[in-house]
Amino acid sequence: MRVIGRPGGDGRVSPGRKTLLFFAVLLLLAALLAWLDPRPTLRHVKLAMLSGSATGNYHATVDKLAAEVARQRGSIRNLASAGSVENLQRLLAARSSCDVQFALVQDGIDFPQAAGLELLGRLPQPESLIILGRDLEHVHVPLDLAGLRIGIGPAGSGSEQLMRRLLAELSELRLVVSTPTIDRQLDMLVRGELDLGAMVIDERAALLREAVAVRKLQILNMPDAAALTRRLPFARPGTIEAGQIDYVHRLPPQDVSVLQMDTLIVGNGCAKNSATVGLLSAVSAVFPTFVQHNKGQPNQTGLPLSAVAANFLRDEGPDALGTYAPWAVDILPLPTWIQLGVALSLLFSGMAFGHRFNLWRIDAQRVKIEREIPALFHPGVTLGEIAEMQPDAGQPADPTRARLDALLKRLEDLAERCRRKSLSILVPMGEEMSYRYQETLIAELQYALRLYRERLPGAT
């Protein structure tokens, strides 16, 4: 017996406690949201990226990307290297350990075939093949370079590989080739131990400015640069304008023709999809024209374009799934999620159709049996009347009993079929009650017929 006046004595929670419980749940939810921080960030990006020498442009570029990712709570480890060729070698070696995922690589070098590497895109700021020397005013045609001593960069670097491809096209010039480091190469140029020194470098690099403004080296105005690019499909003609390196002292003193090529972002397939999207987002933030520079541009590198990068470029940025639920991108990309959603929608529609078809067939069979019942009694007879009706004394009992047994057997089979169909996976959640309703109608019909059968003379 509940005691009158005792709070909560009936087991119910008082309004005050309900209010406190409500606000407690709200507080917990707010704390959970604050901890999860649903705002889009790059905290899921934990990568290692190969760049180049610590004083080079590649290293500075990766530093910028790392700073952008760190601003959004992620991290990129900037790994120094000797250049593009070493980057490829280390990127391939890391496919088993996956401790390195990406690298900056100079376009135009030889990529290993079927090595599992993939292209993510090209940086919009190209690099230039700069050939430095002294007293280069007399160089007007390629033959003016014949027999000169040229440094082509350290062995294994992208500059060395590019220059060897270029010199293969200029074998008649009989240039004397050496492979000193860039710093030593500049010193040798100043001392006159080399006539020319080649490097692939960003035009804005401090190293180039120091070589021209301080060391007083000149940039070779490459003869017929546009014609040379026809032999090197990855290169294109470019121009360093007069005063671009030093505006006050007008260095170079006149426009200089050079060869330019892109810097590629290459991956080895180790990074998760969400991390790849995060890196591309950082690249787009640091280089706002990245998407426009890559979109629609043919891929002639020989490397397959990453599927994640292709979707990023097509959508001109990360999709909603990659922004707010990066973990879902690691499971399936957004187009696949959409396809899966369409497939599930079709599946559920098919299940609903199958359910309605089965239900219609059961109902049709039940109605067919009901239509046969008036022939045993009279038109318009109801179940209540059948349940209370007394058999006609002049009606033959055996034929009536046989017809009732046949109807009851059909109803029993139909009830069993109805229960079996109600347990099918085709039945949408909550639609079992439609079958229960049919079972109720069948049971009521069986009950009335059985009561009448028991009243027939000689019934057992």
Side-chain angles (χ1 to χ4, degrees):
M1 176 182 295
R2 182 171 65 91
V3 178
I4 303 300
R6 179 178 294 176
D10 57 355
R12 294 181 296 178
V13 180
S14 66
R17 290 182 179 178
K18 288 182 179 179
T19 303
L20 289 176
L21 182 61
F22 173 75
F23 282 106
V25 171
L26 285 183
L27 185 61
L28 286 175
L29 288 176
L32 180 62
L33 286 175
W35 179 70
L36 292 175
D37 191 1
R39 294 174 298 177
T41 65
L42 296 181
R43 61 178 178 266
H44 57 281
V45 177
K46 310 291 181 184
L47 298 173
M49 191 169 189
L50 293 160
S51 54
S53 66
T55 58
N57 182 57
Y58 280 9
H59 199 276
T61 298
V62 176
D63 272 346
K64 293 178 183 178
L65 297 179
E68 175 61 25
V69 171
R71 187 181 67 82
Q72 301 188 54
R73 302 169 57 184
S75 67
I76 294 180
R77 287 190 297 125
N78 188 353
L79 304 179
S81 72
S84 297
V85 175
E86 181 184 328
N87 285 356
L88 284 181
Q89 294 171 350
R90 292 174 63 178
L91 204 59
L92 288 172
R95 278 180 55 82
S96 57
S97 62
C98 284
D99 56 344
V100 179
Q101 298 86 23
F102 297 103
L104 293 184
V105 177
Q106 172 191 308
D107 196 4
I109 67 175
D110 294 327
F111 294 104
Q113 297 298 317
L117 301 177
E118 56 185 14
L119 175 68
L120 269 71
R122 306 165 180 268
L123 297 183
Q125 177 63 39
E127 291 191 303
S128 299
L129 173 61
I130 303 293
I131 299 179
L132 298 170
R134 302 176 67 87
D135 303 323
L136 298 181
E137 300 89 348
H138 67 280
V139 178
H140 302 291
V141 296
L143 286 175
D144 292 335
L145 302 172
L148 297 182
R149 300 164 298 174
I150 183 170
I152 60 174
S157 67
S159 297
E160 184 229 6
Q161 192 174 112
L162 171 64
M163 284 303 299
R164 292 198 182 279
R165 292 185 63 175
L166 177 60
L167 294 177
E169 303 289 336
L170 307 174
S171 57
E172 296 180 16
L173 298 181
R174 302 183 305 280
L175 294 171
V176 180
V177 177
S178 61
T179 57
T181 63
I182 295 299
D183 291 336
R184 185 165 178 268
Q185 185 171 279
L186 293 175
D187 292 336
M188 293 174 71
L189 286 170
V190 172
R191 293 194 300 265
E193 298 172 5
L194 283 176
D195 300 307
L196 302 171
M199 64 182 73
V200 177
I201 194 170
D202 189 291
E203 301 165 2
R204 303 164 298 177
L207 180 65
L208 180 59
R209 175 179 171 78
E210 191 266 344
V212 174
V214 179
R215 295 177 184 261
K216 305 303 181 183
L217 297 175
Q218 297 175 333
I219 301 175
L220 175 66
N221 184 22
M222 193 169 293
D224 304 322
L228 193 58
T229 59
R230 295 182 178 273
R231 303 187 181 190
L232 303 171
F234 55 86
R236 58 183 180 273
T239 302
I240 298 179
E241 298 178 355
Q244 181 175 329
I245 295 177
D246 189 327
Y247 179 76
V248 174
H249 298 94
R250 193 177 170 79
L251 296 175
Q254 59 187 10
D255 292 353
V256 177
S257 296
V258 295
L259 296 183
Q260 291 183 333
M261 61 285 303
D262 287 327
T263 299
L264 310 178
I265 305 175
V266 178
N268 58 6
C270 283
K272 294 181 178 180
N273 291 344
S274 60
T276 303
V277 172
L279 173 63
L280 291 172
S281 299
V283 173
S284 297
V286 175
F287 300 97
T289 60
F290 172 75
V291 171
Q292 287 71 25
H293 180 71
N294 285 271
K295 196 170 184 180
Q297 186 171 348
N299 177 15
Q300 298 178 339
T301 63
L303 294 176
L305 181 64
S306 162
V308 176
N311 292 334
F312 186 94
L313 296 175
R314 183 196 62 218
D315 299 335
E316 298 187 358
D319 52 43
L321 200 64
T323 301
Y324 296 100
W327 56 269
V329 179
D330 292 333
I331 302 174
L332 292 173
L334 179 60
T336 306
W337 279 111
I338 295 175
Q339 293 171 355
L340 181 60
V342 172
L344 288 175
S345 177
L346 292 175
L347 174 62
F348 290 143
S349 296
M351 291 170 61
F353 175 80
H355 152 68
R356 289 192 293 269
F357 179 80
N358 288 331
L359 200 59
W360 169 73
R361 291 297 302 159
I362 291 171
D363 186 67
Q365 291 295 322
R366 181 185 59 78
V367 171
K368 183 179 179 181
I369 294 173
E370 287 180 348
R371 287 175 178 171
E372 298 179 18
I373 292 177
L376 285 173
F377 303 98
H378 60 78
V381 68
T382 65
L383 294 183
E385 293 175 341
I386 295 174
E388 298 177 358
M389 185 180 296
Q390 294 297 324
D392 188 353
Q395 183 180 12
D398 291 339
T400 302
R401 185 180 298 107
R403 294 179 65 182
L404 286 173
D405 288 342
L407 289 175
L408 288 170
K409 180 63 169 64
R410 288 166 60 189
L411 287 172
E412 182 180 347
D413 293 342
L414 187 60
E416 182 181 352
R417 176 185 172 189
C418 186
R419 174 52 62 98
R420 187 173 64 252
K421 294 296 184 182
S422 71
L423 301 176
S424 170
I425 61 172
L426 293 177
V427 180
M429 187 179 298
E431 292 296 325
E432 299 89 349
M433 296 307 297
S434 300
Y435 290 94
R436 301 295 175 262
Y437 176 68
Q438 289 293 330
E439 289 179 7
T440 301
L441 295 179
I442 294 171
E444 290 175 351
L445 189 54
Q446 289 176 309
Y447 176 73
L449 293 178
R450 286 192 180 113
L451 286 179
Y452 181 81
R453 183 186 181 281
E454 290 175 357
R455 298 190 192 98
L456 289 174
T460 57

